[in-house]
Amino acid sequence: MQLADLLDLSLVGRATAAAVEYELEDGAIARLSFGDLRLRSDRMARLLLAQGIDRGDRIAFHLPNRIEFIDLFLACIRLGIIAVPINVLYREREIGHILRDAEPKLIVTTKDLAPLLVGEAGGWPVVDIENFVSGISVGEEIPVRTAIDGDAPAAIVYTSGTTGLSKGAILTHNNFAVNTVNLLACWRITSDDRYLAVLPLFHVHGLGNGVLSWLASGCLMRLAPRFEIARAPELFESFRPTLFFGVPTIYVRLLEFPDELARRIGARTRLFVSGSAPLPAHILAAFREKFGHTILERYGMSETLMNMSNPYQGERRAGSVGLPMPGVSVRLIDPVMRPVAEGEVGEVCVRGSNVFSGYWRRPDATADAFDNGWFRTGDLADRSADGYYTLRGRRTELIISGGFNIYPREIEDLLLEQPGVREAAVCGVPDERRGEVPVAYIVSDDSFDSVVLEAACRLGLASYKVPRAFVRVDALPRTALGKIQKKLLPPIDPL
């Protein structure tokens, strides 16, 4: 059974059931059935074929959250065309790199976003989605089906590029199918759910987890253009979701809801999931107090989709990303690829049907990323005696000071517990005597007292882990999904 067959459990098997709600330009709410989605995606597939686009070709999606994104993606899945979603927040330089790397046969965007592609699209045709779909012909409605091997690429998802130019992770039909089945089983997603989708569809969190879980389960989805705190209360109250996927920055904003509203939402919602960036333990505790619900934190990547999750039934441990998903093998290694002892920090390596096939046109990067079939994630973690994993930061962010390893997240977690500290990021800076020393960047409600913060760190951390400076910034640079981009923090002189 291929990915399209898995989705047809809803698109064909639940043809008359309500599938999706979305807002039109005039503010009215449109609703489509699963049968409508199947018909729309078949028509889109025939339009793509008429344009000379077929199996193995790439289409770049430079689109915000809108129903046509889903139409296009489903058409690609049916035809074996490779989808290349592009972050709508990217600017010309970032977009140009992706287009030159992926060489799509077609670039689909909107009238508003099209100017970003001027001069970057080269010889590739750029189409406005509204003009493009106007070319769809309505005639004999013959279902489109193409026999596709499960190892065939379904999408090329470009990494956030936190350490240089982004690389295209090739995700296969099997990657998506296995991930979808795992989420339905482990998070108990069924046709009875109501899924509120606010995450961007260009990211694997919104697409690979959200959209595919919705389609395979047959539940009702409300597709929002984006998360907007001003509109969030009305959206939660009117749609009344049972299922919500978010990132830590969204959960921080949800804590602004009035207590009575938060309790009503928490009572109706079956599952809140957080991912794409670490969820601070104090945010989980505050959310549980306010909404009466413990957020389920999980761990995934563009290259692997979901690796681990806290259990649906059982302890959702603060600060932990839980246990490996079914079929996912995990091991922790030291710098020379030896397994580390229980409780020690090591690099997370994963193996399973969820793991991507490699980086697009980058055999060197692919070879560097794998060791005897194990994908080296670059993330550091330790494992408790009962099997829960806790992330400790990125391998490239490890600070080695005077021969001691310092894991920035440990310091960041302590700083976030201090009054007035809203956000914290810890980096290493050069030091003549110790090689590197930690420095903390702080976003605070008001001016902070570095002496107080230093005292708190000295009370809770070994002396070599105490930041040598505390730098106030207005905001931390983040990706669209909330990951901190430490390379963009303002530089400071060596201490």
Side-chain angles (χ1 to χ4, degrees), residues 183-206:
L183 297 191
L184 265 58
C186 294
W187 295 349
R188 297 189 180 177
I189 303 172
T190 73
S191 59
D192 292 331
D193 276 309
R194 298 170 66 86
Y195 169 53
L196 177 54
V198 300
L199 295 174
L201 300 185
F202 59 72
H203 193 274
V204 291
H205 194 166

Side-chain angles (χ1 to χ4, degrees), residues 11-12 33-46 71 74 78 136-144:
L11 297 173
V12 177
S33 70
F34 285 104
D36 294 332
L37 287 175
R38 173 65 193 265
L39 186 63
R40 290 168 62 100
S41 64
D42 281 344
R43 289 174 176 172
M44 183 71 78
R46 286 191 287 273
D71 296 334
L74 287 173
R78 295 199 178 283
I136 289 177
S137 60
V138 180
E140 187 178 3
E141 305 296 352
I142 302 174
V144 175

Side-chain angles (χ1 to χ4, degrees), residues 58-64 68-74 76 81-88 104 106-109 202 207:
R58 277 84 61 204
I59 293 181
F61 294 44
H62 189 230
L63 295 168
E68 292 85 1
F69 190 114
I70 295 168
D71 296 334
L72 267 172
F73 184 70
L74 287 173
C76 290
I81 295 169
I82 305 170
V84 184
I86 299 177
N87 188 330
V88 295
L106 183 69
I107 305 165
V108 184
T109 188
F202 59 72
L207 182 63

Side-chain angles (χ1 to χ4, degrees), residues 214-345:
W214 153 61
L215 287 171
S217 70
C219 69
L220 177 64
M221 178 176 78
R222 174 67 182 271
L223 179 63
R226 66 191 69 84
F227 177 78
E228 298 175 278
I229 189 60
R231 299 193 62 193
E234 186 277 330
L235 196 54
F236 272 95
E237 285 283 76
S238 62
F239 183 65
R240 299 182 170 230
T242 64
L243 183 64
F244 183 80
F245 295 169
V247 297
T249 51
I250 287 178
Y251 288 111
V252 170
R253 299 307 304 273
L254 291 182
L255 289 174
E256 299 172 14
F257 281 10
D259 289 345
E260 184 179 345
L261 172 61
R263 284 192 295 271
R264 287 201 304 272
I265 292 170
R268 289 193 297 259
T269 307
R270 181 182 64 80
L271 181 63
F272 288 97
V273 178
S274 181
S276 299
L279 180 70
H282 76 283
I283 298 299
L284 183 143
F287 194 89
R288 181 168 52 212
E289 175 69 23
K290 194 177 188 77
F291 285 78
H293 183 102
T294 302
I295 298 168
L296 185 150
E297 187 173 8
R298 86 308 180 277
Y299 163 54
M301 301 180 71
S302 297
E303 292 93 338
T304 64
L305 299 168
M306 285 304 96
N307 293 317
M308 305 181 199
S309 171
N310 273 269
Y312 183 81
Q313 292 292 131
E315 181 188 0
R316 299 178 190 176
R317 189 169 298 175
S320 171
V321 292
L323 312 164
M325 300 291 281
V328 180
S329 298
V330 179
R331 69 176 184 178
L332 303 179
I333 61 168
D334 66 15
V336 293
M337 302 299 293
R338 295 175 305 197
V340 302
E342 193 170 90
E344 292 185 0
V345 174

